[in-house]
Amino acid sequence: MTDKIAEILDELGGGHARPMAAAFLVNTVAGYLHAAASEKVHRDMLSAASDLTYLTGWMAMYERAHGLGQTYYLRALDLARESSDQLTYSRTLRGMSLQASHLRHGRKALEYADSAAEAAPQAGPRLTAFLRGQQAHASAMVGDHRGAMQRLKEAELALSQADSRRDAVGGYNQASFLFHVSHVHYGKRDIENSIKALRNSIRVMSPLERQGRLHAHAVLAQRQHEIGHLEESCTSWERFLDDYEALSTARGDEHFDKLRALNAPRQSPVTRRLQDRIHAVAKLKAA
């Protein structure tokens, strides 16, 4: 069920996937956790529940319900601790770091990222890359650019040693790594290289990662606009709208609000076309 919900998240957005996950936790999983079972089966059930709870917290965070997301994360930590599941425990701390970074709390983001790395079990290369990438992002947020670059190198090395498996939950791949590269460059105010890394991230992203692609195109558009590349920014916003039309996501709504607030001159055919598209999508979403 966790894998299925993760697929729905990618295909339709958190607005559809999170209510399903929450209902399944309350109506089904809670009963499983209180059922009579052998110690091994009970621990396995606790571990599986912690994984789904972590995913539900991640979706709440992504949907800007940050207080609710934190509640899910703390419960996921409890379940992982009770089942001795160090993998999910570490992954959840990493999720809390990501939430702190979204809220611009750099020091707290780095604290959680470092705690996640310390709590990790005998980490395989993909998990190592997953953790080091977030450490790099958080380090850049607090101005530790040397540390951020070192963590990026460690993430890149680990990722080069990983297999090609695509994890539904807590996965990390070349697109994820390049997104972190972009964050680190942006933290140094090297916006040109940040844009280049974002473009490369989108280029290697799986077609199934619609929500990630939506977010990446919106960030790319904002950074292009920041340095005056207006027509390129409009093109990126168009790609954002391609996915936003089909997804139910509060993060997408937030980006769309920023897009509507932009003051773009209508003299250019590109900006006029984008404005017409914005009005059409707004009507579609309101319907």
Side-chain angles (χ1 to χ4, degrees):
M1 280 300 295
T2 300
D3 288 347
K4 286 294 183 184
I5 288 169
E7 290 174 8
I8 293 168
L9 170 64
D10 282 337
E11 183 179 353
L12 300 175
H16 291 289
R18 183 166 64 86
M20 294 177 63
F24 187 66
L25 280 170
V26 171
N27 298 326
T28 304
V29 176
Y32 289 163
L33 295 180
H34 292 96
S38 68
E39 181 178 351
K40 181 184 184 308
V41 169
H42 182 61
R43 287 165 70 93
D44 286 348
M45 188 61 66
L46 287 168
S47 177
S50 69
D51 210 28
L52 177 56
T53 305
Y54 157 76
L55 175 62
T56 310
W58 189 93
M59 289 189 288
M61 176 270 296
Y62 207 89
E63 293 297 297
R64 296 188 291 172
H66 287 290
L68 182 60
Q70 188 176 59
T71 298
Y72 277 118
Y73 278 151
L74 292 174
R75 187 60 183 133
L77 288 178
D78 290 340
L79 290 165
R81 188 185 298 112
E82 192 175 350
S83 63
S84 300
D85 182 350
Q86 285 297 111
L87 172 61
T88 301
Y89 189 86
S90 172
R91 196 156 57 190
T92 301
L93 285 171
R94 195 263 195 194
M96 295 170 76
S97 172
L98 182 61
Q99 181 180 38
S101 68
H102 283 167
L103 295 172
R104 311 307 302 166
H105 300 315
R107 288 291 172 190
K108 184 59 70 173
L110 183 57
E111 177 185 327
Y112 282 136
D114 288 343
S115 295
E118 292 170 10
Q122 291 289 327
R126 191 172 302 280
L127 176 61
T128 297
F130 181 71
L131 298 173
R132 295 293 180 270
Q134 182 59 26
Q135 285 179 293
H137 180 192
S139 295
M141 289 186 71
V142 300
D144 180 8
H145 303 306
R146 179 178 295 181
M149 293 305 296
Q150 179 60 36
R151 294 305 189 192
L152 278 182
K153 289 178 182 177
E154 293 169 2
E156 184 175 28
L157 176 61
L159 193 58
S160 71
Q161 298 169 347
D163 58 35
S164 59
R165 183 183 72 253
R166 182 177 183 269
D167 296 321
V169 180
Y172 195 82
N173 53 27
Q174 187 68 13
S176 309
F177 169 72
L178 288 167
F179 202 82
H180 278 138
V181 172
S182 177
H183 277 310
V184 170
H185 282 309
Y186 191 75
K188 296 189 296 181
R189 304 306 298 163
D190 183 356
I191 302 178
E192 291 282 1
N193 275 320
S194 174
I195 288 172
K196 181 180 178 181
L198 260 177
R199 285 186 180 278
N200 288 333
S201 176
I202 294 167
R203 179 176 54 80
V204 300
M205 198 173 288
S206 165
L208 300 175
E209 297 181 54
R210 297 180 71 182
Q211 184 156 256
R213 187 172 62 241
L214 171 144
H215 179 54
H217 271 128
V219 174
L220 175 62
Q222 290 168 64
R223 291 181 185 174
Q224 288 168 328
H225 188 273
E226 189 173 341
I227 60 173
H229 293 177
L230 183 59
E231 292 205 354
E232 291 183 6
S233 175
C234 288
T235 300
S236 297
W237 278 122
E238 289 261 18
R239 301 290 77 77
F240 159 82
L241 290 172
D242 290 342
D243 287 310
Y244 180 61
E245 283 184 351
L247 290 171
S248 174
T249 162
R251 176 63 62 83
D253 295 341
E254 182 179 18
H255 287 313
F256 188 60
D257 289 344
K258 291 178 181 178
L259 170 58
R260 297 177 77 179
L262 288 177
N263 292 317
R266 289 188 62 88
Q267 293 90 333
S268 163
V270 176
T271 58
R272 286 200 302 272
R273 184 174 67 245
L274 178 61
Q275 288 295 330
D276 291 342
R277 182 89 184 277
I278 291 169
H279 292 316
V281 172
K283 288 182 180 178
L284 176 68
K285 290 289 183 176

